[in-house]
Amino acid sequence: MSSADADGEERWAQRRVSVRGATLRLPRVLLAAALADLVWEIVKANLDGPVREEWPWRLVLLDASTCAALVALLTGILVTRSQLSQTMRPVLTWSGFEGHSAQLPGSRRTVTLANHGGGRAVVRSVAYRIRATGEGAEDEPADGAWLSWHQAVDALAALGLDRGGDFFLLHLGPGAAVRTAGTAAREDMEIAALSATALDRVAVLDIRVRVADVLGDLHERDLQCVRPRPRPPAPPDPTTTATPPCSGPR
């Protein structure tokens, strides 16, 4: 796989886009301050007695034993936080297949979403990107503006598609929970379905899902629900594939 292909695939992987400062940045700042104070106290303890009575060495924030205990405590908090972040990290997975839609009879493309991670995934935002068939080259990257749910529904309706007859988009608002695999409701959450007519008129449908985990960190994943159909290979040029005449002796 080329580096360009690898970069393209990386765009669609789940990523952490924000870290809650109260659970990570604040302990780091406190740890840096405690370490600086501990170094200060160690250096001061190795100075001569008369020197320690002069400024700035007379300055005392916390004694060395208190600083050491605080450093150990904050280090333990950060290590625990890191382990908890890995253990309780949501893992957003999705599938696209033909049929089996509970919302759109005769669906030709059904997309489901689930959380296979160890912790909860609470929706913060969902955005949609739509490109109609024929808008630009089919092999161009699907860059464009992200739309809200209402804007996406209006964009599909503008293509002559009927909501409930040609397409279904689940309205996932802030605070909704992505269904966790292995719970009582084992079925994945159906978030989109398109009919054959919709697939003919929609070249690109991407869904960006952003969720928060138990620590308040934000995770994001883009779903390639519909992609442009690959172009058929061009027929060979007869002028370049014809066998040249033999010029040697017979």
Side-chain angles (χ1 to χ4, degrees):
M1 179 182 293
S2 66
S3 59
D5 293 337
D7 292 341
E9 291 297 328
E10 188 65 24
R11 293 178 54 195
W12 306 104
Q14 180 175 317
R15 53 198 174 271
R16 186 170 65 175
V17 296
S18 178
V19 177
R20 188 179 180 185
T23 61
L24 183 61
R25 296 191 184 96
L26 181 58
R28 284 179 175 176
V29 171
L30 294 176
L31 178 59
L35 280 172
D37 194 17
L38 179 60
V39 171
W40 175 271
E41 291 298 326
I42 292 174
V43 172
K44 184 171 66 174
N46 288 277
L47 297 176
D48 295 333
V51 177
R52 290 199 300 269
E53 299 301 323
E54 300 176 359
W55 284 98
W57 301 110
R58 291 175 57 187
L59 178 63
V60 176
L61 296 178
L62 295 173
D63 59 80
S65 60
T66 303
C67 284
L70 187 58
V71 167
L73 175 62
L74 291 171
T75 301
I77 289 175
L78 288 173
V79 170
T80 302
R81 203 270 187 202
S82 177
Q83 293 176 342
L84 186 62
S85 176
Q86 294 297 321
T87 303
M88 304 302 291
R89 175 176 175 267
V91 178
L92 301 179
T93 61
W94 69 282
S95 301
F97 45 85
E98 181 177 351
H100 303 288
S101 171
Q103 305 294 333
L104 190 70
S107 170
R108 294 294 301 275
R109 181 68 170 174
T110 304
V111 180
T112 61
L113 177 68
N115 171 25
H116 283 74
R120 70 184 184 188
V122 179
V123 174
R124 286 294 181 88
S125 64
V126 180
Y128 305 82
R129 183 165 57 190
I130 298 172
R131 189 173 74 195
T133 302
E135 292 184 356
E138 295 300 315
D139 54 355
E140 290 180 354
D143 295 330
W146 289 95
L147 309 175
S148 67
W149 181 84
H150 294 284
Q151 292 172 330
V153 170
D154 291 341
L156 293 173
L159 299 178
L161 301 175
D162 176 56
R163 179 185 170 194
D166 294 316
F167 71 91
F168 163 77
L169 286 182
L170 179 64
H171 191 188
L172 273 175
V178 178
R179 187 174 297 162
T180 303
T183 57
R186 295 182 181 275
E187 300 83 3
D188 292 351
M189 179 186 298
E190 183 177 339
I191 60 173
L194 299 174
S195 67
T197 302
L199 287 180
D200 289 337
R201 300 180 186 180
V202 176
V204 170
L205 172 59
D206 297 333
I207 301 180
R208 171 171 289 177
V209 183
R210 179 173 291 186
V211 299
D213 62 14
V214 294
L215 297 174
D217 296 349
L218 296 183
H219 304 264
E220 184 178 88
R221 184 164 189 186
D222 296 341
L223 316 181
Q224 305 178 70
C225 301
V226 177
R227 309 305 298 162
R229 297 176 181 176
R231 292 182 173 183
D237 188 350
T239 62
T240 60
T241 57
T243 303
C246 180
S247 58
R250 295 183 179 179

